[in-house]
Amino acid sequence: MLSPSDTGLSGIRGEGFTVAVEAAETLVVRMSGNADLELLPRLGPFLKQLHAEASRVAVTSVTVDIRELYFMNSSCLKAFITWIVSVGKSDTHCRYSIHFLSNSNLRWQQKTLEAMRAFAPDLIEIENAA
Amino acid sequence: MPPKAAQTSLQLDGPPAVRMINSARQFIQDLCTTVVDSATSSRVALAAHEMLENLAKYSDGGPTDLSIAVEGCQGGSRIVIRTSNRANSEQRHELERVLTEISTAEEPMAMYLDIIAKSLEHSEGSGLGLARIRAEADMELSYTISGDEVTIAAATGAIDHVESK
């Protein structure tokens, strides 16, 4: 069981968005608000650090909860895909699955998540958990 | 009888502030839900957000404009979003290249995934937002250039039911 202090990750908080990290049996990243140009400069470094920490503590899965993420722009989508591709290219012992919790009431999520999954279909699971 | 055409627009003295874009998207989505279904509203909102961000990133100074209109078309009515801004020569050429690639693609989703893959190798300016409008929002893109002013249009196909309100 992970505790938050096992990871060196801290979340991101800004006007209009929050990225929170929890640690339990797996790493959980909860995003809320809008992933837009304001979040972008911080999102890339956060995802890099997330990958480094997830690899270091050897989690088997990272959950990304976007049920309260009202929108994600294409630049943040690109940051996510950069992360996903880096996970896919990692050595086997550093690789983990990525489990998205989505909200079917936020209609943009379905096609955007499908686009993400196209880059690592073996690693990504999408669950409608609204 | 086809529904009455309607239009609303947002005119700014310069590029939109980033913080305004989320509010504008939400307003546009809420406005659209009064005349079309929620799936169509969501598509239009996505396109509006990406187009507004492009105005914020790529305008070369001067006023910018976004309009949303319900227009008659073959098969009924459609929603058209237009943005206008000044762009320099390099930006205009890049826009023409990107929009030609997007609008001539036989399979929008395959084109989109290809553009995403190419964008991973560059830090900026990939056409990703426009490709997303085509593939995820399923909207047709077109453009006109008049001098240094660029107008981009994103249009839904004919919508089954547009309410006249």
Side-chain angles (χ1 to χ4, degrees):
Chain A
M1 189 92 153
L2 286 171
S3 70
S5 60
D6 289 333
T7 77
L9 283 167
S10 56
I12 308 172
R13 185 175 286 277
E15 190 169 327
F17 55 79
T18 304
V19 180
V21 179
E22 299 170 12
E25 280 148 13
T26 180
L27 274 174
V28 179
V29 176
R30 291 192 205 286
M31 299 185 70
S32 60
N34 293 283
D36 59 7
L37 289 176
E38 284 222 38
L39 174 62
L40 181 64
R42 298 159 76 178
L43 182 62
F46 170 80
L47 291 172
K48 256 190 188 170
Q49 191 185 13
L50 171 65
H51 180 48
E53 285 300 303
S55 300
R56 185 181 68 80
V57 301
V59 296
T60 57
S61 176
V62 170
T63 296
V64 182
D65 183 349
I66 60 170
R67 290 173 293 176
E68 295 187 8
L69 187 65
Y70 302 132
F71 189 73
M72 179 186 292
N73 73 356
S74 54
S75 300
C76 290
L77 164 65
K78 177 181 165 180
F80 263 91
I81 291 177
T82 299
W83 168 50
I84 288 165
V85 168
S86 67
V87 175
K89 287 180 177 174
S90 299
D91 294 337
T92 310
H93 65 278
C94 295
R95 214 178 291 169
Y96 44 88
S97 65
I98 301 171
H99 185 143
F100 283 97
L101 297 179
S102 67
N103 182 345
S104 60
N105 294 314
L106 297 171
R107 292 177 178 267
W108 63 269
Q109 291 190 0
Q110 181 193 356
K111 286 194 179 179
T112 297
L113 290 174
E114 287 300 333
M116 288 192 203
R117 177 151 64 184
F119 285 86
D122 295 340
L123 293 181
I124 293 180
E125 301 157 21
I126 300 168
E127 179 185 346
N128 175 23
Chain B
M1 180 181 292
K4 191 190 301 184
Q7 176 168 306
T8 190
S9 66
L10 183 66
Q11 293 164 334
L12 302 170
D13 290 337
V18 169
R19 291 190 175 186
M20 188 208 82
I21 294 173
N22 288 317
S23 300
R25 184 198 75 246
Q26 192 60 60
F27 167 73
I28 289 164
Q29 184 157 0
D30 291 344
L31 189 64
C32 284
T33 56
T34 65
V35 292
V36 294
D37 60 274
S38 59
T40 303
S41 301
S42 178
R43 291 162 57 202
V44 171
L46 183 152
H49 190 112
E50 294 291 349
M51 291 168 84
L52 282 166
E53 285 200 351
N54 281 348
L55 287 181
K57 287 188 284 189
Y58 303 123
S59 294
D60 197 36
T64 60
D65 182 89
L66 176 138
S67 69
I68 299 176
V70 178
E71 297 178 355
C73 69
Q74 193 168 24
S77 296
R78 63 180 187 171
I79 294 180
V80 184
I81 306 172
R82 289 183 179 84
T83 58
S84 296
N85 61 280
R86 279 214 295 253
N88 62 39
S89 172
E90 187 181 337
Q91 289 166 331
R92 296 195 301 272
H93 283 127
E94 178 62 10
L95 179 69
E96 284 186 291
R97 183 194 68 77
V98 166
L99 282 173
T100 299
E101 179 181 357
I102 291 170
S103 59
T104 57
E106 288 186 5
E107 296 192 19
M109 186 51 75
M111 171 275 301
Y112 178 42
L113 296 177
D114 186 52
I115 286 182
I116 293 174
K118 287 177 188 167
S119 78
L120 299 181
E121 296 160 21
H122 304 286
S123 59
E124 296 186 9
S126 59
L128 187 51
L130 294 172
R132 189 185 190 202
I133 291 170
R134 181 67 190 93
E136 289 195 31
D138 192 22
M139 293 175 78
E140 297 280 348
L141 290 166
S142 60
Y143 70 97
T144 58
I145 296 178
S146 175
D148 63 358
E149 181 161 289
V150 171
T151 297
I152 299 174
T156 66
I159 298 166
D160 282 341
H161 182 63
V162 177
E163 300 223 4
S164 317
K165 292 191 180 175

Short mmCIF file of all heavy atoms in Angstrom, two decimals, chain A residues 15 34-38 70-75 77-78 81-82 85 106-108 111-112 114-116 118-119, chain B residues 18-19 22 25 38-39 42 46 49-50 53 57 112-113 116-117 119-120 122-124 128-129 132 135-136 138:
data_model
loop_
_atom_site.label_atom_id
_atom_site.label_comp_id
_atom_site.label_asym_id
_atom_site.label_seq_id
_atom_site.Cartn_x
_atom_site.Cartn_y
_atom_site.Cartn_z
N GLU A 15 -6.11 28.73 -10.80
CA GLU A 15 -7.46 29.24 -10.98
C GLU A 15 -8.10 28.48 -12.13
O GLU A 15 -7.67 28.54 -13.27
CB GLU A 15 -7.41 30.73 -11.31
CG GLU A 15 -8.79 31.36 -11.26
CD GLU A 15 -8.72 32.87 -11.32
OE1 GLU A 15 -7.76 33.45 -10.80
OE2 GLU A 15 -9.63 33.46 -11.91
N ASN A 34 -10.58 22.90 -15.82
CA ASN A 34 -10.28 22.93 -17.25
C ASN A 34 -8.78 22.74 -17.47
O ASN A 34 -7.98 23.43 -16.84
CB ASN A 34 -10.69 24.28 -17.85
CG ASN A 34 -12.19 24.48 -17.83
OD1 ASN A 34 -12.92 23.92 -18.64
ND2 ASN A 34 -12.67 25.27 -16.88
N ALA A 35 -8.42 21.81 -18.32
CA ALA A 35 -7.03 21.63 -18.72
C ALA A 35 -6.81 22.48 -19.96
O ALA A 35 -7.16 22.08 -21.08
CB ALA A 35 -6.73 20.16 -19.00
N ASP A 36 -6.26 23.67 -19.77
CA ASP A 36 -6.18 24.64 -20.87
C ASP A 36 -4.79 25.26 -20.94
O ASP A 36 -3.83 24.72 -20.37
CB ASP A 36 -7.26 25.71 -20.67
CG ASP A 36 -7.12 26.44 -19.34
OD1 ASP A 36 -6.11 26.23 -18.63
OD2 ASP A 36 -8.02 27.24 -18.99
N LEU A 37 -4.67 26.37 -21.63
CA LEU A 37 -3.35 26.99 -21.81
C LEU A 37 -2.74 27.43 -20.49
O LEU A 37 -1.51 27.54 -20.38
CB LEU A 37 -3.45 28.17 -22.78
CG LEU A 37 -3.71 27.84 -24.24
CD1 LEU A 37 -3.88 29.11 -25.07
CD2 LEU A 37 -2.60 26.97 -24.82
N GLU A 38 -3.57 27.68 -19.49
CA GLU A 38 -3.02 28.07 -18.19
C GLU A 38 -2.37 26.90 -17.48
O GLU A 38 -1.35 27.04 -16.82
CB GLU A 38 -4.14 28.66 -17.31
CG GLU A 38 -4.53 30.04 -17.70
CD GLU A 38 -4.74 30.95 -16.50
OE1 GLU A 38 -3.98 30.85 -15.52
OE2 GLU A 38 -5.66 31.76 -16.57
N TYR A 70 -13.83 19.46 -16.95
CA TYR A 70 -14.87 19.95 -17.86
C TYR A 70 -14.38 20.01 -19.30
O TYR A 70 -15.16 19.88 -20.23
CB TYR A 70 -15.36 21.32 -17.42
CG TYR A 70 -15.91 21.34 -16.03
CD1 TYR A 70 -15.53 22.30 -15.11
CD2 TYR A 70 -16.81 20.36 -15.60
CE1 TYR A 70 -16.03 22.30 -13.82
CE2 TYR A 70 -17.31 20.35 -14.31
CZ TYR A 70 -16.91 21.32 -13.43
OH TYR A 70 -17.39 21.31 -12.15
N PHE A 71 -13.10 20.23 -19.48
CA PHE A 71 -12.56 20.31 -20.84
C PHE A 71 -11.06 20.13 -20.80
O PHE A 71 -10.40 20.46 -19.82
CB PHE A 71 -12.90 21.67 -21.48
CG PHE A 71 -12.57 21.73 -22.96
CD1 PHE A 71 -13.35 21.05 -23.88
CD2 PHE A 71 -11.48 22.44 -23.41
CE1 PHE A 71 -13.06 21.08 -25.23
CE2 PHE A 71 -11.17 22.48 -24.77
CZ PHE A 71 -11.96 21.80 -25.68
N MET A 72 -10.54 19.57 -21.89
CA MET A 72 -9.10 19.48 -22.09
C MET A 72 -8.80 20.00 -23.47
O MET A 72 -9.42 19.55 -24.45
CB MET A 72 -8.61 18.03 -21.97
CG MET A 72 -7.11 17.88 -22.20
SD MET A 72 -6.57 16.15 -22.23
CE MET A 72 -6.83 15.66 -20.53
N ASN A 73 -7.86 20.93 -23.59
CA ASN A 73 -7.54 21.45 -24.92
C ASN A 73 -6.54 20.54 -25.63
O ASN A 73 -5.99 19.60 -25.04
CB ASN A 73 -7.04 22.90 -24.85
CG ASN A 73 -5.65 23.02 -24.27
OD1 ASN A 73 -5.04 22.03 -23.84
ND2 ASN A 73 -5.12 24.23 -24.23
N SER A 74 -6.29 20.81 -26.90
CA SER A 74 -5.45 19.91 -27.69
C SER A 74 -4.00 19.94 -27.21
O SER A 74 -3.28 18.94 -27.31
CB SER A 74 -5.52 20.28 -29.18
OG SER A 74 -5.21 21.64 -29.37
N SER A 75 -3.55 21.06 -26.65
CA SER A 75 -2.17 21.13 -26.15
C SER A 75 -1.99 20.22 -24.93
O SER A 75 -0.96 19.55 -24.80
CB SER A 75 -1.81 22.56 -25.80
OG SER A 75 -1.92 23.40 -26.93
N LEU A 77 -3.88 17.64 -24.32
CA LEU A 77 -4.01 16.29 -24.89
C LEU A 77 -2.65 15.80 -25.39
O LEU A 77 -2.24 14.67 -25.14
CB LEU A 77 -5.01 16.31 -26.04
CG LEU A 77 -5.03 15.13 -26.99
CD1 LEU A 77 -5.46 13.86 -26.28
CD2 LEU A 77 -5.98 15.41 -28.16
N LYS A 78 -1.92 16.69 -26.07
CA LYS A 78 -0.59 16.34 -26.56
C LYS A 78 0.34 15.99 -25.40
O LYS A 78 1.13 15.05 -25.49
CB LYS A 78 -0.04 17.52 -27.37
CG LYS A 78 1.38 17.33 -27.88
CD LYS A 78 1.83 18.57 -28.64
CE LYS A 78 3.32 18.56 -28.85
NZ LYS A 78 3.78 19.77 -29.60
N ILE A 81 -0.45 12.53 -24.29
CA ILE A 81 0.03 11.51 -25.24
C ILE A 81 1.54 11.38 -25.17
O ILE A 81 2.09 10.28 -25.28
CB ILE A 81 -0.49 11.81 -26.65
CG1 ILE A 81 -2.01 11.60 -26.67
CG2 ILE A 81 0.19 10.93 -27.69
CD1 ILE A 81 -2.69 11.92 -27.98
N THR A 82 2.24 12.48 -24.93
CA THR A 82 3.69 12.42 -24.73
C THR A 82 4.00 11.50 -23.55
O THR A 82 4.91 10.67 -23.61
CB THR A 82 4.25 13.82 -24.48
OG1 THR A 82 3.99 14.63 -25.63
CG2 THR A 82 5.75 13.78 -24.23
N VAL A 85 3.12 7.80 -24.48
CA VAL A 85 4.14 7.22 -25.37
C VAL A 85 5.40 6.88 -24.57
O VAL A 85 6.02 5.83 -24.79
CB VAL A 85 4.44 8.18 -26.53
CG1 VAL A 85 5.69 7.76 -27.29
CG2 VAL A 85 3.25 8.25 -27.48
N LEU A 106 -19.82 14.36 -19.94
CA LEU A 106 -18.88 15.30 -20.56
C LEU A 106 -18.47 14.68 -21.90
O LEU A 106 -17.53 13.90 -22.00
CB LEU A 106 -17.67 15.54 -19.65
CG LEU A 106 -18.03 16.17 -18.30
CD1 LEU A 106 -16.84 16.17 -17.35
CD2 LEU A 106 -18.53 17.60 -18.51
N ARG A 107 -19.23 15.05 -22.92
CA ARG A 107 -19.21 14.30 -24.18
C ARG A 107 -17.88 14.33 -24.91
O ARG A 107 -17.58 13.44 -25.68
CB ARG A 107 -20.33 14.78 -25.08
CG ARG A 107 -21.71 14.42 -24.53
CD ARG A 107 -22.80 14.97 -25.39
NE ARG A 107 -24.12 14.60 -24.90
CZ ARG A 107 -24.79 13.54 -25.31
NH1 ARG A 107 -24.28 12.73 -26.19
NH2 ARG A 107 -26.00 13.29 -24.82
N TRP A 108 -17.06 15.36 -24.69
CA TRP A 108 -15.78 15.44 -25.38
C TRP A 108 -14.86 14.30 -24.97
O TRP A 108 -13.96 13.91 -25.73
CB TRP A 108 -15.10 16.79 -25.10
CG TRP A 108 -14.74 16.99 -23.66
CD1 TRP A 108 -15.53 17.57 -22.70
CD2 TRP A 108 -13.55 16.57 -22.99
NE1 TRP A 108 -14.88 17.54 -21.49
CE2 TRP A 108 -13.68 16.95 -21.63
CE3 TRP A 108 -12.38 15.93 -23.39
CZ2 TRP A 108 -12.68 16.70 -20.69
CZ3 TRP A 108 -11.38 15.68 -22.46
CH2 TRP A 108 -11.55 16.07 -21.12
N LYS A 111 -14.20 10.67 -27.35
CA LYS A 111 -13.32 10.64 -28.52
C LYS A 111 -11.90 11.03 -28.15
O LYS A 111 -10.94 10.52 -28.72
CB LYS A 111 -13.87 11.57 -29.61
CG LYS A 111 -15.09 11.00 -30.31
CD LYS A 111 -15.40 11.74 -31.58
CE LYS A 111 -16.60 11.13 -32.28
NZ LYS A 111 -16.94 11.84 -33.52
N THR A 112 -11.74 11.93 -27.19
CA THR A 112 -10.40 12.32 -26.80
C THR A 112 -9.67 11.14 -26.16
O THR A 112 -8.49 10.89 -26.44
CB THR A 112 -10.46 13.50 -25.83
OG1 THR A 112 -11.03 14.62 -26.51
CG2 THR A 112 -9.09 13.89 -25.32
N GLU A 114 -10.28 8.00 -26.70
CA GLU A 114 -10.01 7.02 -27.75
C GLU A 114 -8.76 7.40 -28.53
O GLU A 114 -7.98 6.54 -28.93
CB GLU A 114 -11.22 6.89 -28.69
CG GLU A 114 -12.41 6.17 -28.08
CD GLU A 114 -12.11 4.74 -27.66
OE1 GLU A 114 -11.21 4.10 -28.25
OE2 GLU A 114 -12.75 4.25 -26.70
N ALA A 115 -8.58 8.69 -28.77
CA ALA A 115 -7.36 9.15 -29.45
C ALA A 115 -6.14 8.82 -28.61
O ALA A 115 -5.12 8.36 -29.12
CB ALA A 115 -7.44 10.65 -29.73
N MET A 116 -6.22 9.02 -27.30
CA MET A 116 -5.10 8.69 -26.42
C MET A 116 -4.83 7.20 -26.46
O MET A 116 -3.68 6.76 -26.54
CB MET A 116 -5.41 9.09 -24.98
CG MET A 116 -5.41 10.58 -24.71
SD MET A 116 -5.46 10.86 -22.93
CE MET A 116 -6.13 12.50 -22.87
N ALA A 118 -5.23 5.13 -28.74
CA ALA A 118 -4.63 4.69 -30.00
C ALA A 118 -3.11 4.63 -29.92
O ALA A 118 -2.47 3.89 -30.66
CB ALA A 118 -5.06 5.63 -31.14
N PHE A 119 -2.51 5.39 -29.01
CA PHE A 119 -1.06 5.44 -28.91
C PHE A 119 -0.48 4.36 -28.00
O PHE A 119 0.74 4.15 -28.00
CB PHE A 119 -0.61 6.84 -28.47
CG PHE A 119 -0.72 7.83 -29.58
CD1 PHE A 119 -1.92 8.50 -29.83
CD2 PHE A 119 0.35 8.09 -30.42
CE1 PHE A 119 -2.04 9.38 -30.89
CE2 PHE A 119 0.24 8.97 -31.48
CZ PHE A 119 -0.96 9.62 -31.71
N VAL B 18 -6.55 34.30 -22.23
CA VAL B 18 -6.68 32.86 -21.99
C VAL B 18 -7.79 32.59 -20.98
O VAL B 18 -8.57 31.64 -21.13
CB VAL B 18 -5.33 32.28 -21.52
CG1 VAL B 18 -5.48 30.87 -21.01
CG2 VAL B 18 -4.32 32.34 -22.66
N ARG B 19 -7.87 33.41 -19.96
CA ARG B 19 -8.86 33.18 -18.91
C ARG B 19 -10.28 33.38 -19.39
O ARG B 19 -11.22 32.91 -18.77
CB ARG B 19 -8.59 34.09 -17.73
CG ARG B 19 -7.32 33.69 -17.02
CD ARG B 19 -7.13 34.41 -15.72
NE ARG B 19 -5.95 33.88 -15.05
CZ ARG B 19 -5.58 34.22 -13.84
NH1 ARG B 19 -6.30 35.07 -13.14
NH2 ARG B 19 -4.49 33.71 -13.29
N ASN B 22 -12.35 29.79 -21.42
CA ASN B 22 -13.22 28.79 -20.80
C ASN B 22 -14.64 29.32 -20.63
O ASN B 22 -15.62 28.62 -20.89
CB ASN B 22 -12.67 28.36 -19.43
CG ASN B 22 -11.44 27.52 -19.56
OD1 ASN B 22 -11.36 26.63 -20.39
ND2 ASN B 22 -10.45 27.79 -18.73
N ARG B 25 -16.36 29.39 -23.97
CA ARG B 25 -16.77 28.04 -24.38
C ARG B 25 -18.05 27.62 -23.67
O ARG B 25 -18.97 27.09 -24.26
CB ARG B 25 -15.67 27.03 -24.10
CG ARG B 25 -16.00 25.61 -24.60
CD ARG B 25 -15.15 24.53 -23.96
NE ARG B 25 -15.57 24.26 -22.60
CZ ARG B 25 -14.80 24.52 -21.52
NH1 ARG B 25 -13.60 25.06 -21.67
NH2 ARG B 25 -15.25 24.25 -20.32
N SER B 38 -27.52 18.07 -26.95
CA SER B 38 -26.31 18.27 -26.15
C SER B 38 -25.06 17.75 -26.85
O SER B 38 -23.97 18.30 -26.68
CB SER B 38 -26.47 17.62 -24.77
OG SER B 38 -26.71 16.24 -24.90
N ALA B 39 -25.21 16.68 -27.64
CA ALA B 39 -24.03 16.18 -28.35
C ALA B 39 -23.51 17.20 -29.34
O ALA B 39 -22.30 17.45 -29.44
CB ALA B 39 -24.38 14.87 -29.07
N SER B 42 -21.85 20.12 -27.54
CA SER B 42 -20.52 19.76 -27.07
C SER B 42 -19.51 19.86 -28.21
O SER B 42 -18.38 20.35 -28.02
CB SER B 42 -20.53 18.35 -26.48
OG SER B 42 -19.25 17.97 -26.06
N LEU B 46 -16.34 22.46 -28.31
CA LEU B 46 -14.95 22.04 -28.50
C LEU B 46 -14.29 22.85 -29.60
O LEU B 46 -13.17 23.37 -29.45
CB LEU B 46 -14.90 20.54 -28.84
CG LEU B 46 -13.52 19.89 -28.99
CD1 LEU B 46 -13.59 18.41 -28.64
CD2 LEU B 46 -12.97 20.04 -30.40
N HIS B 49 -13.62 26.43 -28.52
CA HIS B 49 -12.48 26.56 -27.60
C HIS B 49 -11.17 26.50 -28.38
O HIS B 49 -10.27 27.32 -28.18
CB HIS B 49 -12.52 25.44 -26.56
CG HIS B 49 -11.54 25.62 -25.45
ND1 HIS B 49 -11.91 25.89 -24.15
CD2 HIS B 49 -10.18 25.60 -25.44
CE1 HIS B 49 -10.83 26.00 -23.39
NE2 HIS B 49 -9.76 25.84 -24.16
N GLU B 50 -11.04 25.53 -29.26
CA GLU B 50 -9.78 25.39 -30.01
C GLU B 50 -9.56 26.60 -30.91
O GLU B 50 -8.43 27.09 -31.05
CB GLU B 50 -9.81 24.10 -30.84
CG GLU B 50 -9.84 22.81 -30.01
CD GLU B 50 -8.54 22.53 -29.26
OE1 GLU B 50 -7.52 23.20 -29.53
OE2 GLU B 50 -8.55 21.63 -28.39
N GLU B 53 -8.45 29.54 -28.79
CA GLU B 53 -7.05 29.39 -28.38
C GLU B 53 -6.12 29.69 -29.54
O GLU B 53 -5.04 30.26 -29.35
CB GLU B 53 -6.80 28.00 -27.80
CG GLU B 53 -7.37 27.83 -26.41
CD GLU B 53 -6.76 26.66 -25.63
OE1 GLU B 53 -6.00 25.87 -26.23
OE2 GLU B 53 -7.04 26.56 -24.42
N LYS B 57 -3.13 32.39 -29.62
CA LYS B 57 -1.73 32.00 -29.87
C LYS B 57 -1.17 32.61 -31.16
O LYS B 57 0.03 32.92 -31.21
CB LYS B 57 -1.63 30.47 -29.97
CG LYS B 57 -1.78 29.75 -28.63
CD LYS B 57 -1.46 28.26 -28.75
CE LYS B 57 -2.58 27.49 -29.40
NZ LYS B 57 -2.36 26.01 -29.32
N TYR B 112 -5.86 12.73 -38.01
CA TYR B 112 -5.70 13.32 -36.68
C TYR B 112 -4.60 12.61 -35.89
O TYR B 112 -3.71 13.24 -35.33
CB TYR B 112 -7.05 13.23 -35.98
CG TYR B 112 -7.13 13.76 -34.56
CD1 TYR B 112 -6.52 14.94 -34.16
CD2 TYR B 112 -7.89 13.07 -33.61
CE1 TYR B 112 -6.66 15.42 -32.87
CE2 TYR B 112 -8.03 13.54 -32.32
CZ TYR B 112 -7.42 14.71 -31.96
OH TYR B 112 -7.56 15.17 -30.67
N LEU B 113 -4.65 11.30 -35.88
CA LEU B 113 -3.65 10.54 -35.14
C LEU B 113 -2.26 10.75 -35.74
O LEU B 113 -1.26 10.82 -35.02
CB LEU B 113 -4.01 9.05 -35.12
CG LEU B 113 -5.31 8.69 -34.37
CD1 LEU B 113 -5.60 7.20 -34.48
CD2 LEU B 113 -5.25 9.11 -32.91
N ILE B 116 -1.11 14.16 -34.59
CA ILE B 116 -0.69 14.07 -33.18
C ILE B 116 0.72 13.49 -33.11
O ILE B 116 1.60 14.02 -32.43
CB ILE B 116 -1.65 13.19 -32.35
CG1 ILE B 116 -3.02 13.86 -32.22
CG2 ILE B 116 -1.07 12.93 -30.97
CD1 ILE B 116 -4.07 12.98 -31.54
N ALA B 117 0.94 12.39 -33.83
CA ALA B 117 2.25 11.73 -33.79
C ALA B 117 3.36 12.69 -34.25
O ALA B 117 4.42 12.76 -33.62
CB ALA B 117 2.23 10.47 -34.65
N SER B 119 3.24 15.92 -34.13
CA SER B 119 3.34 17.05 -33.20
C SER B 119 4.19 16.73 -31.99
O SER B 119 4.75 17.63 -31.36
CB SER B 119 1.93 17.48 -32.72
OG SER B 119 1.44 16.59 -31.73
N LEU B 120 4.34 15.44 -31.68
CA LEU B 120 5.14 15.07 -30.51
C LEU B 120 6.61 15.44 -30.69
O LEU B 120 7.35 15.54 -29.72
CB LEU B 120 5.00 13.57 -30.24
CG LEU B 120 3.59 13.06 -29.93
CD1 LEU B 120 3.59 11.56 -29.66
CD2 LEU B 120 2.96 13.80 -28.76
N HIS B 122 7.59 18.26 -32.12
CA HIS B 122 7.74 19.71 -32.19
C HIS B 122 7.08 20.34 -30.97
O HIS B 122 6.09 19.83 -30.47
CB HIS B 122 7.08 20.27 -33.45
CG HIS B 122 7.58 19.64 -34.71
ND1 HIS B 122 8.81 19.92 -35.24
CD2 HIS B 122 7.03 18.71 -35.52
CE1 HIS B 122 8.98 19.20 -36.33
NE2 HIS B 122 7.93 18.46 -36.52
N SER B 123 7.65 21.49 -30.55
CA SER B 123 7.07 22.09 -29.36
C SER B 123 5.83 22.91 -29.67
O SER B 123 4.95 23.06 -28.83
CB SER B 123 8.12 22.95 -28.65
OG SER B 123 8.58 23.95 -29.54
N GLU B 124 5.75 23.48 -30.88
CA GLU B 124 4.64 24.39 -31.15
C GLU B 124 4.10 24.21 -32.55
O GLU B 124 4.71 23.60 -33.40
CB GLU B 124 5.12 25.84 -31.04
CG GLU B 124 5.57 26.23 -29.66
CD GLU B 124 5.89 27.71 -29.58
OE1 GLU B 124 5.60 28.43 -30.54
OE2 GLU B 124 6.43 28.11 -28.56
N LEU B 128 -2.75 20.91 -34.49
CA LEU B 128 -3.44 19.87 -33.73
C LEU B 128 -4.87 20.27 -33.39
O LEU B 128 -5.80 19.47 -33.48
CB LEU B 128 -2.64 19.59 -32.46
CG LEU B 128 -3.08 18.42 -31.60
CD1 LEU B 128 -3.21 17.16 -32.41
CD2 LEU B 128 -2.05 18.22 -30.49
N GLY B 129 -5.06 21.52 -32.97
CA GLY B 129 -6.40 21.99 -32.62
C GLY B 129 -7.36 21.90 -33.78
O GLY B 129 -8.51 21.46 -33.63
N ARG B 132 -8.21 18.36 -34.51
CA ARG B 132 -9.15 17.85 -33.50
C ARG B 132 -10.58 18.28 -33.82
O ARG B 132 -11.51 17.49 -33.65
CB ARG B 132 -8.74 18.39 -32.12
CG ARG B 132 -9.50 17.75 -30.96
CD ARG B 132 -9.13 18.39 -29.65
NE ARG B 132 -9.68 17.63 -28.54
CZ ARG B 132 -9.89 18.14 -27.34
NH1 ARG B 132 -9.60 19.40 -27.09
NH2 ARG B 132 -10.39 17.38 -26.37
N ALA B 135 -11.69 15.89 -36.58
CA ALA B 135 -11.83 14.47 -36.23
C ALA B 135 -12.76 14.24 -35.04
O ALA B 135 -13.63 13.38 -35.07
CB ALA B 135 -10.46 13.87 -35.93
N GLU B 136 -12.58 15.01 -33.97
CA GLU B 136 -13.38 14.75 -32.76
C GLU B 136 -14.74 15.45 -32.83
O GLU B 136 -15.74 14.89 -32.41
CB GLU B 136 -12.62 15.20 -31.51
CG GLU B 136 -11.43 14.31 -31.16
CD GLU B 136 -10.94 14.56 -29.74
OE1 GLU B 136 -11.76 14.93 -28.87
OE2 GLU B 136 -9.74 14.40 -29.50
N ASP B 138 -16.08 16.46 -35.60
CA ASP B 138 -16.71 16.09 -36.88
C ASP B 138 -17.29 17.33 -37.56
O ASP B 138 -18.45 17.36 -37.99
CB ASP B 138 -17.82 15.05 -36.63
CG ASP B 138 -18.31 14.42 -37.94
OD1 ASP B 138 -17.56 14.46 -38.94
OD2 ASP B 138 -19.46 13.93 -37.98
#
